[in-house]
Amino acid sequence: MRFARRLEQVPPYLFAEIERKIEAMRADGVDVISLGIGDPDLPTPTTVVEAMRRAVAQPETHRYPSNRGLPAFREAVAGFYSDRFGVAIDPATEVIPVLGGKEGVAHVALACLDPGDVCLSPDPGYPPYTSGPVFAGAEVNYMPLEERNAFVPDLDAIPAAVASRANLLFFNYPNNPTGAVAADGFFDRAVAFSRRHDVVAIHDASYTEIAFDGYRPASFLSTPGAKDVGAEIFSVSKGWNMTGWRIGWIAGNAEVVGRYRQLKTNLDSGMFDALQLAGVAALTDARDFPREMSDVYRRRRDLMIDALTAIGLSTDPPLATPYLWVGVPTGHDSASFAELVLAQAAVIVSPGPSFGPSGEGYVRISLTIPDKRLQEAAGRIASSLRVESRA
Ligand SMILES: *Cc1c(COP(=O)(O)O)cnc(C)c1O
């Protein structure tokens, strides 16, 4: 059999290697704790589960949904954007459901890119910022996220010849994997850049609701001019512990949303109406749930930072996301340090380069495991690892 070349052009699934290692160690009887994957451990809010139970019992929800989405869903998104972000969304033209943020990211690339086009993607970054453009036949130009630039891309450093071929710009704040929040002025620079070079700006807003210490992340769409140049992909996966449900949306520029819907009409038949009604419950009855989750992650963040400090790895506490992006100690690279942590503490962390080449020198620690296990992992790290502090 012969398969499409595009499948050779994307890197292997990020966590395949980690999952293999865990399995091998567990088979040897080692109690491995994985801080490798960002998948919330706690349950979906009960009100959302109950809304789903009611909705799924209604035969009206059993037929083909429309890719436009139920009016109730689009109106709930508009209400949420207005109250939470002070952003006006026209439910008729400026929002449609996506089957999780991943589907949104991958398919918006198909809607915006032709072979020969360039996609500007953050490095390190979420893997679909690469696979989406590659499947569209486009080239990916990585924008390094560096600590000295507060982990935002330096848009002025993009060569003119690259910018002139670019037709899509991805960015993501609060950021996975760095835990960074959008530096002041970055969204404005993204609008100006997108206008100047006529590129579609897509902000991935998967983590706006997981934030700490009084910080409330903004929507990109609250930036003046944002709706003229692009759209935002939002997911309830992380904030509401709903990764399995596949509920999100794309909101913003009506032309982007309309073209996205045109594409999707040819690929899938929309989101199960019952899921959309569960999404409405998340955005109304359970609207404050992510704040409770943020308290949980803040506690876990502090606990893990204490353990890292105890071994000489001081890390600034992130203001958002359930991730710590930790610089590796002198004498190590990301892979060797991840291996040391695994060998000494039986704890899995993600080497930075698995999110892109600029992730070298870091590992990502995910806080999405139960408190007791995280406590155990932190204790093992603090007691079994002693490292030279970073220069
Ligand atoms: C988790 C995540 C998403 C979306 O997840 P879905 O479950 O597909 O909604 C999108 N972007 C980033 C950066 C993420 O970490």
Side-chain angles (χ1 to χ4, degrees), residues 239-261:
W240 284 262
N241 301 338
M242 292 176 69
T243 48
W245 297 60
R246 320 308 304 137
I247 300 177
W249 60 80
I250 181 168
N253 184 278
E255 210 180 337
V256 174
V257 170
R259 286 299 193 160
Y260 186 74
R261 183 163 66 89

Side-chain angles (χ1 to χ4, degrees), residues 122-139:
D123 157 36
Y126 188 51
Y129 305 147
T130 298
S131 50
V134 164
F135 287 165
E139 283 168 40

Side-chain angles (χ1 to χ4, degrees), residues 34 37-44 237-238 240-243 289 293 296-297 299-300 322 366-374:
S34 176
I37 297 176
D39 187 357
D41 54 298
L42 290 163
T44 299
S237 282
K238 310 294 167 42
W240 284 262
N241 301 338
M242 292 176 69
T243 48
F289 181 82
M293 282 313 302
V296 171
Y297 291 126
R299 218 179 43 237
R300 294 177 181 176
S366 171
L367 304 173
T368 56
I369 67 162
D371 288 25
K372 261 177 73 183
R373 292 293 279 168
L374 193 76

Side-chain angles (χ1 to χ4, degrees), residues 100-102 126 129 172 176 204 206-207 235 237-238 243 246:
K102 188 184 228 175
Y126 188 51
Y129 305 147
N172 157 230
N176 175 15
D204 176 346
S206 294
Y207 293 97
S235 166
S237 282
K238 310 294 167 42
T243 48
R246 320 308 304 137

Side-chain angles (χ1 to χ4, degrees), residues 53-358:
R53 214 192 283 281
R54 282 193 304 276
V56 83
Q58 312 266 312
E60 315 78 277
T61 65
H62 298 174
R63 307 188 66 206
Y64 279 123
S66 121
N67 257 312
R68 199 182 275 285
L70 291 172
F73 181 84
R74 288 182 273 120
E75 279 154 22
V77 171
F80 174 71
Y81 260 64
S82 165
D83 297 345
R84 166 69 178 87
F85 298 120
V87 168
I89 298 284
D90 177 359
T93 57
E94 293 181 336
V95 57
I96 64 162
V98 299
L99 309 179
K102 188 184 228 175
E103 185 259 313
V105 166
H107 283 154
V108 86
L110 277 192
C112 295
L113 296 168
D114 280 320
D117 284 343
V118 166
C119 180
L120 301 167
S121 299
D123 157 36
Y126 188 51
Y129 305 147
T130 298
S131 50
V134 164
F135 287 165
E139 283 168 40
V140 177
N141 184 91
Y142 285 125
M143 305 177 293
L145 305 185
E146 296 178 52
E147 198 158 354
R148 63 186 170 94
N149 290 330
F151 297 111
V152 298
D154 179 1
L155 298 172
D156 295 330
I158 297 166
V162 172
S164 68
R165 287 169 54 219
N167 204 41
L168 183 59
L169 167 68
F170 279 125
F171 48 101
N172 157 230
Y173 294 96
N175 183 260
N176 175 15
T178 68
V181 301
D184 276 350
F186 175 73
F187 285 167
D188 293 292
R189 295 198 293 282
V191 169
F193 178 92
S194 304
R195 219 192 277 284
R196 186 163 354 110
H197 298 284
D198 193 22
V199 310
V200 178
I202 297 290
H203 180 236
D204 176 346
S206 294
Y207 293 97
T208 56
E209 304 314 296
I210 301 292
F212 321 118
D213 308 336
Y215 180 73
R216 294 285 270 163
S219 161
F220 170 59
L221 300 180
S222 66
T223 311
K227 247 201 242 174
D228 300 333
V229 297
E232 181 160 88
I233 293 171
F234 193 103
S235 166
V236 301
S237 282
K238 310 294 167 42
W240 284 262
N241 301 338
M242 292 176 69
T243 48
W245 297 60
R246 320 308 304 137
I247 300 177
W249 60 80
I250 181 168
N253 184 278
E255 210 180 337
V256 174
V257 170
R259 286 299 193 160
Y260 186 74
R261 183 163 66 89
Q262 180 193 2
L263 176 89
K264 259 174 82 70
T265 302
N266 291 282
L267 291 171
D268 65 57
S269 295
M271 183 187 296
F272 182 22
D273 283 349
L275 278 173
Q276 294 187 54
L277 296 171
V280 170
L283 296 178
T284 54
D285 301 340
R287 184 180 283 185
D288 293 330
F289 181 82
R291 299 194 123 173
E292 295 167 33
M293 282 313 302
S294 295
D295 284 340
V296 171
Y297 291 126
R298 186 198 31 76
R299 218 179 43 237
R300 294 177 181 176
R301 173 198 74 176
D302 293 345
L303 180 159
M304 185 51 72
I305 284 188
D306 286 349
L308 295 171
T309 305
I311 62 165
L313 277 186
S314 65
T315 301
D316 288 337
L319 279 175
T321 80
Y323 305 117
L324 303 182
W325 187 240
V326 182
V328 303
T330 316
H332 278 283
D333 62 15
S334 302
S336 72
F337 184 64
E339 270 163 36
L340 181 74
V341 176
L342 184 58
Q344 301 289 309
V347 170
I348 303 260
V349 298
S350 304
S354 42
F355 303 94
S358 297

